[in-house]
Amino acid sequence: MKPYLSDQEIKSLENLLKKRRGDMWEWGSGGSTIYFSKFCNEYYSIEHKSNWHKAINNIKPKNVKCFLVPNDIPQAEKDDGTKEEFASYIKFINNFKGKIF
């Protein structure tokens, strides 16, 4: 899986992560989760789509922790929505007490 980013963006993030070698958080798992996790100690991903969360959990490296945080307002699992629909998803990172990058 390749991140949904330009080659230049991928290279820039790679270089930054290689220098830091810390932990990383992301909203929405996928190609970036699989690709960039190899440059991190721990990689945390927040996903709101249950089917996609399950698919990523089946292929993720061991250092990836993928959290399922469904929409607050029941609806079809879609990519876009209001702040109210995704409030828990947006704020989930506030539960993490460690270093965030």
Side-chain angles (χ1 to χ4, degrees):
M1 275 186 151
K2 183 179 177 193
Y4 191 62
L5 300 166
S6 72
D7 289 342
Q8 183 179 358
E9 291 168 325
I10 291 170
K11 193 66 176 166
S12 293
L13 277 171
E14 255 184 53
N15 290 335
L16 180 64
L17 291 170
K18 285 177 184 177
K19 288 178 189 174
R20 296 190 80 249
R21 199 66 188 173
D23 299 342
M24 185 168 168
W25 274 92
E26 73 173 349
W27 283 266
S29 47
S32 294
T33 310
I34 305 307
Y35 187 85
F36 291 120
S37 62
K38 63 186 168 195
F39 303 108
C40 300
N41 293 326
E42 297 288 332
Y43 196 99
Y44 303 94
S45 184
I46 306 166
E47 180 57 51
H48 68 95
K49 294 180 179 179
S50 57
N51 289 343
W52 189 242
H53 174 262
K54 184 177 179 180
I56 293 298
N57 264 328
N58 288 333
I59 62 170
K60 69 177 180 56
K62 291 184 181 196
N63 68 326
V64 174
K65 311 288 187 284
C66 190
F67 300 95
L68 176 62
V69 183
N71 301 349
D72 293 301
I73 299 172
Q75 62 186 15
E77 291 184 347
K78 59 182 184 176
D79 292 330
D80 297 324
T82 66
K83 186 177 178 180
E84 291 76 25
E85 290 171 331
F86 288 92
S88 294
Y89 176 79
I90 294 166
K91 295 177 183 177
F92 186 82
I93 197 169
N94 295 339
N95 297 321
F96 184 66
K97 304 295 184 214
K99 186 176 180 181
I100 299 170
F101 172 67

